[in-house]
Amino acid sequence: MMTEEKRTIHVLKDEKLGVDREYVAVDRAANVGEMIVIVEPENTSGDVANAGHYGLIIEDDSVKNALIADFKGFDNHFVLDDGIQRVGEAGNYYHVLEPTDIVHIDGERYRLEDRKAEVGERVFYVNKENGKSDGIDTIVTSAGVDIVYVREYKDDTGEAVCSICHGYYYVLTPVQDATEPKESDVITVLANLGAEVAELKRTVAHHQAEFNALREQLAKVASGGGTKMELTGNFIADIIIGLKKAGL
């Protein structure tokens, strides 16, 4: 029975793009031209691919209901010299590696975005007809109606490149990895929260004092205290002011 491998990220070179790319392992049947990763070897004789080894499906052997994979070029260690091996004869003991839109360049992660680039953004050329690229990134210096002008560079043929047509490049957008909050950040948040709570307490205490004073004046009215003039004039004004101060 196959081992479980949920959304495991594998970083391998994308030969067409010429850069390292992130792949996810998916439990399904492979097609010719796809890369796979072994998750459970069919036997343990030592002359076959082991768990974690990568291969490229190069042929569909329908007679034996299996696929032929080439395990050369992936830093795999084998007893067999040619690295060619059938897979799937005893069932799907591999997972297919499906490409994501995340690539690695100079140790940084970027998302491939198929859109018009803006000045200052990082791009690299790609032939949309065959998906191939020289894997050389550059910076957009200005943008026109049909093309973007870039910092001049030499492609893999040695030809100087200073512009790329729209639709023939990918925009490389940096991917920000989620980071855990630092201890100092937590302390700052708690300190700010404490200050806000203290301010709230002072505000409540102030309103309580205003309310107590207003209640005392109302008690005087109820007991017959004060003059008629105070009740109809100054006292009413004091009540209104007290209500406003209390936020009522």
Side-chain angles (χ1 to χ4, degrees):
M1 184 176 180
M2 296 181 60
T3 56
E4 194 75 16
E5 188 173 46
K6 297 181 179 179
R7 307 299 293 180
T8 301
I9 299 297
H10 301 262
V11 181
L12 298 170
K13 185 174 182 179
D14 186 320
E15 297 297 336
K16 285 188 176 182
L17 293 182
V19 296
D20 287 341
R21 191 170 192 169
E22 292 187 5
Y23 295 81
V24 292
V26 180
D27 185 6
R28 65 169 174 82
N31 298 311
V32 174
E34 291 185 314
M35 290 190 296
I36 62 171
V37 58
I38 301 299
V39 294
E40 185 175 329
E42 293 184 70
N43 59 64
T44 57
S45 62
D47 60 350
V48 297
N50 294 317
H53 287 169
Y54 301 107
L56 176 67
I57 302 300
I58 59 175
E59 186 180 341
D60 185 350
D61 188 351
S62 57
V63 176
K64 293 189 176 182
N65 193 29
L67 298 170
I68 298 178
D70 184 354
F71 289 90
K72 298 189 302 292
F74 293 98
D75 294 327
N76 297 324
H77 175 70
F78 290 101
V79 175
L80 297 178
D81 294 330
D82 59 4
I84 305 300
Q85 179 186 323
R86 285 186 175 85
V87 295
E89 290 178 291
N92 287 345
Y93 71 105
Y94 61 84
H95 282 175
V96 179
L97 296 176
E98 294 185 349
T100 70
D101 59 355
I102 304 298
V103 296
H104 292 203
I105 298 177
D106 296 331
E108 300 294 332
R109 300 173 71 232
Y110 295 89
R111 175 172 287 104
L112 298 174
E113 296 185 355
D114 189 5
R115 60 174 174 82
K116 290 185 177 181
E118 299 179 359
V119 175
E121 288 191 307
R122 187 181 299 268
V123 299
F124 71 81
Y125 166 81
V126 60
N127 186 330
K128 295 300 178 67
E129 295 178 0
N130 56 25
K132 292 184 177 181
S133 171
D134 51 25
I136 302 174
D137 60 284
T138 183
I139 302 296
V140 175
T141 57
S142 63
V145 177
D146 300 316
I147 63 175
V148 289
Y149 296 92
V150 299
R151 291 180 185 173
E152 184 174 320
Y153 70 95
K154 291 185 179 181
D155 62 16
D156 53 356
T157 65
E159 182 179 352
V161 178
C162 59
S163 63
I164 308 174
C165 293
H166 291 315
Y168 283 86
Y169 59 80
Y170 280 124
V171 180
L172 298 170
T173 301
V175 176
Q176 300 295 332
D177 295 327
T179 57
E180 296 183 358
K182 298 179 181 178
E183 183 178 354
S184 58
D185 296 335
V186 176
I187 293 175
T188 300
V189 171
L190 292 176
N192 292 336
L193 182 60
E196 292 179 5
V197 171
E199 180 63 25
L200 181 60
K201 287 183 177 180
R202 286 192 292 270
T203 301
V204 171
H206 174 73
H207 287 321
Q208 185 64 45
E210 296 289 346
F211 179 77
N212 291 340
L214 180 60
R215 184 171 59 182
E216 291 179 0
Q217 293 184 17
L218 290 175
K220 289 182 181 179
V221 174
S223 62
T227 63
K228 183 177 181 180
M229 188 64 179
E230 290 174 335
L231 178 61
T232 58
N234 296 337
F235 184 70
I236 293 177
D238 290 342
I239 291 176
I240 294 175
I241 293 173
L243 289 172
K244 288 182 177 180
K245 289 182 177 181
L248 302 176

